[in-house]
Amino acid sequence: DYALIWGNGDPSNLLDPWVSWIYVFKKNHVTGEWGNCSGGVCTENQYIEVQECGFGGSLSGIPKISLSLEGDQALVGCPGASFITESVQKLERDGESWKQVIAIEPHDAIELVTSQTPQRSFGRGVGIGGGEIIIGAPFDDGNGNDAGAVYIFPKLTGPSDVEASDGEYPDRIQFTWQDNATNEEKYKVSRNGNVIADDLDPNSTLYNDIEAEPGVAYEYCVSAVNGPVESEKVCDFGLRLPNGGIT
């Protein structure tokens, strides 16, 4: 339902080459159009500023940015863009808005002090899919001059057996799940696509939503998180007991 397009430079300051923008287009399933459309012209629904991710280390202005999208997660590769660090930026969708959530760096990250410092081009190629993250560094010299390397962030085992209460409680919706992961840092819960708890303790198996409106059905989803990697979400619908009697 979403398309992300990279654009170099700050549209409000074209003299700043070290800022990139991700333009987000959402598909209208009624009209089949993408973005905000009028008179045959469509513009983005949102744009996201990605700092230190301009020319991608290319002083000639030839972009080396890479982009990968799956579901409500995306990666933006910025290999040595600022001559300071090498990183890949992860974006996530929260409701209908996308935001930059974490910078991914290699475990053996180096500081790029000057434009002459050797670069591995970490992030020249990125991929996200099936719960895994793969990042390419074509000029990594660890196994020889410009031998290249691939950094793999393996997927997490996600939760299962989710259940959201259906009117059993007058003051909350109780959402439970089976904790299957062994190396998660936290759990994250969303309601109708909006994150409502993003830092639950590892090994958590329960979340009580006391903000749910009585008599309204919600879809709850939970996932395990470890650094930049997030497991597949599992979901269930729940309902808080309505106020008053039911006839």
Side-chain angles (χ1 to χ4, degrees), residues 43-66:
T43 59
E44 74 281 353
N45 299 99
Q46 179 190 359
Y47 57 86
I48 308 164
E49 179 181 354
V50 184
Q51 289 285 350
E52 305 295 352
C53 193
F55 289 159
S58 171
L59 294 181
S60 64
I62 301 174
K64 298 187 178 76
I65 304 299
S66 56

Side-chain angles (χ1 to χ4, degrees), residues 151-239:
Y151 293 75
I152 299 175
F153 300 78
K155 66 180 180 180
L156 288 173
T157 301
S160 61
D161 301 325
V162 296
E163 184 175 357
S165 59
D166 292 314
E168 291 91 337
Y169 304 100
D171 59 344
R172 68 188 187 277
I173 295 176
Q174 182 173 283
F175 183 43
T176 61
W177 60 88
Q178 173 69 41
D179 170 31
N180 298 318
T182 59
N183 61 337
E184 77 278 14
E185 292 180 345
K186 61 182 181 179
Y187 274 97
K188 182 168 69 174
V189 172
S190 62
R191 180 182 63 202
N192 288 356
N194 298 293
V195 176
I196 55 175
D198 64 356
D199 198 19
L200 297 179
D201 291 338
N203 303 319
S204 295
T205 58
L206 179 147
Y207 178 78
N208 285 310
D209 183 12
I210 61 175
E211 301 295 332
E213 294 291 332
V216 178
Y218 297 97
E219 183 183 33
Y220 291 87
C221 298
V222 60
S223 58
V225 179
N226 187 343
V229 179
E230 182 176 347
S231 73
E232 182 179 357
K233 295 180 176 67
V234 285
C235 308
D236 189 32
F237 284 89
L239 178 72

